[in-house]
Amino acid sequence: MPSIRDTLTTWRATLWVLAREWRSGVLLLLLVGPVLAYIGFGTIWLYERGWIIPAVVGWIAAGGLFAILAARWTTSTRTVLPPLDWDAPRTFSPLDREAWRLVEEEALAAEALPMEAMIDGERYVDVGRILLQKLAVHYHPDSKHPLDDVPVVELLGALELAAEDLARLTRQIPGGDIVTLSHWRRAMQVANYFNKANDLYALVSPFLNPLSGLTRIGTRELIVKPAWKNMQQNILRWFFQAYVNRLGAHLIELFSGRLAIGVDEYRRLTRRRPMAAKMADPDEPLTVAVAGARGSGKSRLIQVARDLFQGDDRTVRARLEGMGLDPTAIDRLKNVKFVEVAGYTTNGSDDRESRTDRSSRDSAVSASVDADMLMLTIDGGKGLLPADLAFAKAWDGYYLQHPHREAPPALVVVTGVDRAELGPGWQPPYDWGSGQGAREAAVRNLMDSLRASLPPTFTEYAAAGLDDATPFGVVEHVLPAFAAQLHRAERSNLLRRLQAAAGRSKVRRVMGQIGEQGRNVWTHLKNRRKASKSG
C-alpha cells in the first residue's frame, strides 16, 4: 500500500495537470462527479437502513469474483480472447515442426515481459528480426549468410500474410484492429489518474465511514488493483504472442519454399475454405498408391473399389452412411485415384535378397513416395514376407532421410482372407475385430503379428476377401479405414503440390511469367483490333 506522503505527492501532481488542462478537468468532473455523488448518497442510505454490512460483504465478494474471473478468462485455454492455434499447421513437414518450436519459445518469452515492454514498438521490430534470424539459421545451418538467398518479394509476401492473419484475429475483439501503441499508453495514463484519485479517496473514506472505508482499502489493494493489472497484462501478452504466432508461421512457409508460388496462389490453395473440410481440386484428385508383392491382390482390390462407385451407387452410399460416414467423405472417396504400383519380387525366404528383388523393391518405393496415401496389400495366405517388411522399412526410411517431406497415411490391407487355409467355408459377413470364428481369430492373429513387425508408421489395418462371387471387406472395412485417414491424405496432397510448385527451377518460373505476360499482351491486342473493327 502506498504511503500517505507518496499518495499526496501524486495527487498534487494530478491536480496540477488538471489545473493546467482545466477543460479536461471539467469533463472529468462531469463524468465522475455524479457517480461519486450516487456512491456517497447510496452509502448513507444503506447505513440508515442497517444494510451497510451486507452491502460491504457483497462488494468484497464481487471484487473477489472479478479478480478470479479476470485472471482465468484472459489466460485459460477457453479464454474470452480469440484462441491462438499452437498446433503445427497442416502444411508443415518434420523440419518445419522443429522450426515451430523456435517460434513457440519466442512467444513464451513474453510471459516474463513487463507491461511497459509490450507497448514499445521497438520490441516488435526486434522480435521480428530475431525470429527471422533464428529461422534462417535453422533452415540453412551451414550458410554464413542464411538470409542472402531469400527473395525479397517472398519475404514481403510472408509479412503480408502474417498481417492479414493478425488483422483477422484482432477484428474478433471490437476495435482491436485499430488500436495503436499510443492508445495503450493513453489508456494506462488514464488508468493511473483514476488509481491516484482512488488512492486519495481510500485515505479519506475511513474518516467518513470507518467500516466501509477500511473494507474499500482492503478490497482495492488486495483484489481489484492486482486483478485489473493482470487483465491488462494478459491482453497485451495475447496480442504480442499473436504477433509472434502469425509472423513465425509465415516465415516458416517462406524458408520452406512454399511461398515461391506467390501469395495469390498460396491463398487459393490454403485459404479457400476450412482445412478440416477441404477437398482436393477436381483436376488434382487424391492419389492412392496400392503397393505389395506380386500376386498379393492389388489389381483385384482396385477393381472392386472402383466398381463400387460405378453407375448407380446409392446402395453403397446407404451402406457407408449407415456405418457413420458423412456424405462429403463418400464423395471424396469416389474421386480417389488408385494407382497400382508394380509388385516387387520375393524369394519367399530369409536368405540374402537378389539384385532383382532389391531393384524391384526400390522401384516400388520410388513409385509410392509421391502419392497422397499408401495402401499396402499383404497376402493373408502367405503372411508377412521378408520382402513386405523390407518394403515397409524402405518406404518409412525414405521420409526419415527427407525431413522436409512428411509421410502420408498408410493403410495395410490383408487380402486373401477368403482362402480355405484360414478357416472352413467362406460365409461373410465377418467381424475381424471381435468375432469368435476360426477364420476371424486367424485373421486377427495375423493383424496382431503385422502390427508388431511393421514400422510404427503403419497404424491402420483392414482385411478383405476378394472372392469373385462374394467379395467382402472393401465396403465394410477398407473404405471406412480409408475415410478415417482422408484428412491426412488431403494434407499430404496439399503439401505435395506446394512443394512441387516451389521446387520448380527459377528459370522455368521466369519463363512461365514471360509467357503469361506475352499471352496477356496478345489478348489485349486482339481485343483492341476487334474493337477498332466494330467501331
Side-chain angles (χ1 to χ4, degrees):
M1 183 183 300
S3 64
I4 297 177
R5 178 178 298 177
D6 292 339
T7 302
L8 291 175
T9 301
T10 55
W11 179 245
R12 256 197 313 268
T14 303
L15 289 177
W16 182 81
V17 172
L18 293 177
R20 189 180 62 177
E21 300 289 342
W22 64 272
R23 293 182 179 85
S24 300
V26 171
L27 294 176
L28 183 62
L29 180 62
L30 293 174
L31 176 66
V32 180
V35 177
L36 295 178
Y38 277 116
I39 292 176
F41 293 137
T43 301
I44 296 173
W45 187 85
L46 291 171
Y47 180 77
E48 290 177 349
R49 283 160 177 76
W51 293 354
I52 188 67
I53 294 179
V56 169
V57 173
W59 189 352
I60 296 175
L65 185 61
F66 167 81
I68 295 173
L69 295 180
R72 291 192 63 179
W73 286 355
T74 54
T75 56
S76 64
T77 55
R78 298 183 64 182
T79 175
V80 295
L81 298 171
L84 300 180
D85 186 4
W86 286 107
D87 293 333
R90 294 170 59 88
T91 56
F92 279 14
S93 66
L95 183 64
D96 299 332
R97 287 194 176 88
E98 294 177 7
W100 188 241
R101 296 193 187 98
L102 299 176
V103 178
E104 291 186 271
E105 291 172 2
E106 199 64 40
L108 288 175
E111 300 289 341
L113 291 177
M115 192 184 314
E116 293 74 13
M118 288 184 285
I119 59 174
D120 181 10
E122 292 296 325
R123 171 72 61 175
Y124 291 85
V125 176
D126 292 341
V127 167
R129 187 183 299 115
I130 292 171
L131 200 57
L132 181 64
Q133 187 65 34
K134 283 184 177 181
L135 293 175
V137 172
H138 173 77
Y139 281 92
H140 306 287
D142 300 327
S143 175
K144 294 182 179 179
H145 305 285
L147 290 175
D148 287 358
D149 295 329
V150 177
V152 176
V153 172
E154 293 180 20
L155 175 59
L156 294 176
L159 298 179
E160 177 186 343
L161 291 168
E164 183 179 294
D165 282 0
L166 192 59
R168 187 182 295 111
L169 268 176
T170 54
R171 286 193 184 102
Q172 298 180 43
I173 303 174
D177 58 330
I178 61 175
V179 173
T180 64
L181 295 178
S182 63
H183 290 154
W184 278 111
R185 293 193 187 94
R186 291 171 190 164
M188 291 178 63
Q189 291 174 356
V190 172
N192 289 335
Y193 290 149
F194 279 108
N195 286 336
K196 292 169 185 176
N198 278 323
D199 287 339
L200 182 63
Y201 177 71
L203 291 174
V204 176
S205 59
F207 298 100
L208 302 176
N209 191 326
L211 180 60
S212 64
L214 292 175
T215 303
R216 177 182 176 83
I217 292 177
T219 304
R220 173 174 169 74
E221 298 298 329
L222 299 179
I223 299 177
V224 177
K225 284 180 67 175
W228 178 251
K229 185 176 181 180
N230 287 339
M231 187 173 64
Q232 287 180 308
Q233 288 179 333
N234 290 337
I235 294 174
L236 284 171
R237 189 178 297 117
W238 173 87
F239 182 82
F240 186 86
Q241 291 180 337
Y243 165 78
V244 175
N245 177 288
R246 292 297 81 207
L247 179 62
H250 291 294
L251 287 179
I252 290 175
E253 296 284 12
L254 166 69
F255 286 111
S256 68
R258 290 189 286 273
L259 288 187
I261 61 177
V263 172
D264 292 338
E265 184 68 7
Y266 181 85
R267 284 196 189 98
R268 187 185 73 83
L269 291 174
T270 62
R271 300 187 176 187
R272 197 169 28 186
R273 45 188 173 274
M275 294 302 298
K278 182 185 181 298
M279 292 171 53
D281 284 345
D283 58 345
E284 185 75 19
L286 294 179
T287 302
V288 178
V290 183
R294 293 180 180 176
S296 60
K298 300 188 300 296
S299 301
R300 176 60 178 160
L301 176 62
I302 294 175
Q303 179 186 349
V304 173
R306 286 174 176 169
D307 290 345
L308 289 172
F309 293 104
Q310 296 297 324
D312 187 1
D313 58 1
R314 285 179 293 181
T315 302
V316 174
R317 287 177 175 272
R319 293 176 64 185
L320 292 174
E321 289 180 6
M323 297 176 191
L325 271 68
D326 62 83
T328 58
I330 299 173
D331 289 333
R332 286 180 284 174
L333 289 174
K334 181 179 180 179
N335 294 322
V336 165
K337 178 183 178 182
F338 291 97
V339 177
E340 182 177 356
V341 177
Y344 43 82
T345 58
T346 173
N347 55 24
S349 66
D350 293 329
D351 299 336
R352 186 175 59 183
E353 63 181 358
S354 66
R355 181 178 300 178
T356 303
D357 292 336
R358 185 166 55 252
S359 176
S360 65
R361 187 191 69 233
D362 292 343
S363 298
V365 172
S366 299
S368 302
V369 293
D370 288 328
D372 304 318
M373 183 173 182
L374 173 67
M375 193 174 287
L376 176 60
T377 58
I378 293 180
D379 191 335
K382 299 177 181 178
L384 182 65
L385 300 174
D388 295 324
L389 183 58
F391 170 84
K393 289 182 177 179
W395 183 85
D396 184 64
Y398 173 86
Y399 296 100
L400 295 177
Q401 297 169 8
H402 298 79
H404 64 284
R405 300 282 304 274
E406 182 169 356
L411 172 63
V412 179
V413 180
V414 180
T415 60
V417 295
D418 52 333
R419 294 184 179 178
E421 51 262 41
L422 291 177
W426 170 246
Q427 297 177 345
Y430 292 99
D431 182 359
W432 310 121
S434 57
Q436 300 302 314
R439 188 182 298 273
E440 292 165 324
V443 172
R444 190 160 52 248
N445 291 335
L446 176 57
M447 286 186 176
D448 291 340
S449 66
L450 293 176
R451 288 189 180 92
S453 302
L454 292 174
T457 313
F458 295 82
T459 58
E460 298 296 324
Y461 293 80
L466 305 177
D467 179 78
D468 292 338
T470 56
F472 172 80
V474 177
V475 176
E476 295 79 7
H477 302 289
V478 176
L479 291 184
F482 184 10
Q485 297 296 315
L486 270 175
H487 64 289
R488 291 187 56 200
E490 289 163 353
R491 168 183 170 176
S492 178
N493 177 277
L494 173 60
L495 183 57
R496 176 174 59 83
R497 294 167 64 189
L498 288 172
Q499 290 173 337
R504 292 181 300 175
S505 68
K506 294 182 179 180
V507 175
R508 289 182 59 191
R509 286 164 55 189
V510 172
M511 295 303 295
Q513 293 169 3
I514 293 175
E516 183 178 355
Q517 292 302 320
R519 287 190 295 270
N520 291 337
V521 171
W522 177 247
T523 302
H524 177 67
L525 291 175
K526 287 197 303 183
N527 292 338
R528 288 188 60 183
R529 184 179 303 175
K530 291 179 181 178
S532 61
K533 288 181 179 180
S534 61

